[in-house]
Amino acid sequence: MPFEPFRAAVAVHGILRDGERTLLMRRADTTHRDGQFGLPAGHLDGGEDAVTGLRRELREELDIHVDPGSCRLRLVLHTAPERISDFEYLHLFFDVARWDGAPRIAEPRKCTELRWADPRATPDLVDYVGAALAAIGRGETLAVHGWPPGTTSEPGRSTRRGACG
């Protein structure tokens, strides 16, 4: 089998909670999952660490300021490419315990709605976000999503507590 270069991107996701509810954003005009709900998120720009990138994204999308000490990595999710021209993704999901400011739509061309909701009861939630939140709920720290059977150690399933194989 010929060597395929590893083509991956890294995205950071912020999990902001109000009791049992999680802040969700309805995506718009992004060419990816428009109309569905996701978490505030974005790509790392390069030249920044993951927490700095997360804080930048939350400031850009929600106009809030986050103390870096309040960000706790909860899950790494490795997703398969959705299209042949797409990248594999490493998604880093962070709990964000404290922030300054009231979240608001700061990028109205990319988001049409903010909603504090139970993601389990949100039918139009991005599938890999739902899978990630479910894995976090089970105490997992590493999960895979979207890989065809036979390409991962546990096809279509999460890896418990970061264990290998």
Side-chain angles (χ1 to χ4, degrees):
M1 173 178 273
F3 172 74
E4 293 289 328
F6 180 65
R7 294 177 356 120
V10 178
V12 290
H13 302 258
I15 305 168
L16 285 72
R17 299 183 197 272
D18 178 19
E20 296 296 315
R21 301 178 311 161
T22 300
L23 184 62
L24 302 175
M25 302 177 69
R26 188 180 296 275
R27 303 177 56 82
D29 292 328
T30 65
T31 70
H32 180 71
R33 308 295 184 105
D34 290 339
Q36 292 183 298
F37 279 100
L39 297 169
H43 295 93
L44 292 182
D45 282 346
E48 62 185 356
D49 64 76
V51 172
T52 299
L54 174 67
R55 294 174 64 226
R56 174 185 50 75
E57 287 291 343
L58 295 175
R59 186 176 58 254
E60 290 173 0
E61 293 185 358
L62 300 175
D63 195 26
I64 61 173
H65 297 277
V66 174
D67 172 19
S70 74
C71 302
R72 179 175 166 228
L73 180 64
R74 293 297 306 277
L75 181 77
V76 175
L77 178 70
H78 185 196
T79 58
E82 294 184 4
R83 296 174 303 280
I84 194 78
S85 62
D86 203 2
F87 291 95
E88 296 176 27
Y89 268 83
L90 292 176
H91 298 269
L92 308 176
F93 289 83
F94 289 86
D95 271 335
V96 179
R98 294 179 313 278
W99 59 88
D100 291 324
R104 67 176 190 84
I105 298 172
E107 293 181 315
R109 70 185 189 286
K110 294 182 179 180
C111 172
T112 59
E113 180 182 355
L114 292 181
R115 180 186 296 178
W116 290 98
D118 179 347
R120 297 169 298 184
T122 305
D124 46 357
L125 185 67
V126 172
D127 61 347
Y128 62 82
V129 171
L133 293 173
I136 290 167
R138 293 187 300 269
E140 299 171 17
T141 57
L142 174 65
V144 297
H145 182 77
W147 293 94
T151 61
T152 65
S153 61
E154 296 181 54
R157 306 196 70 159
S158 299
T159 304
R160 303 256 333 137
R161 292 186 176 73
C164 294

